[in-house]
Amino acid sequence: MLKLPASTFVDVSHTELTPMQMNVLRGVHSGLTNKQIAFDLGIAEATVKVHMTALMRKLNVRNRTQAALLAKAIML
């Protein structure tokens, strides 16, 4: 099982994600590719990448896997 370093965790209650960032995070949590997320949301794949960059910065994670694990911990 992959564990996140303690420094990865962020107080997500104070992290404000836009509705679109939440939708992208749900897609990542579901295991979708950027292309699949873009198709589902009706946006360009490049736009998903922009949202992913912002998400990873806000959530203080280094990669998509860490974002998915954190999404699992906070998901809805």
Side-chain angles (χ1 to χ4, degrees), residues 21-65:
Q21 288 171 343
M22 285 300 297
N23 288 335
V24 170
L25 188 58
R26 283 186 187 97
V28 170
H29 177 252
S30 298
L32 300 177
T33 65
N34 286 350
K35 188 173 187 174
Q36 291 168 321
I37 294 169
F39 179 79
D40 288 349
L41 298 178
I43 59 177
E45 187 175 355
T47 305
V48 173
K49 291 178 183 180
V50 170
H51 287 303
M52 280 302 302
T53 299
L55 274 168
M56 289 191 297
R57 187 174 298 122
K58 285 182 178 182
L59 298 176
N60 192 30
V61 296
R62 292 184 178 183
N63 57 51
R64 185 181 192 91
T65 302

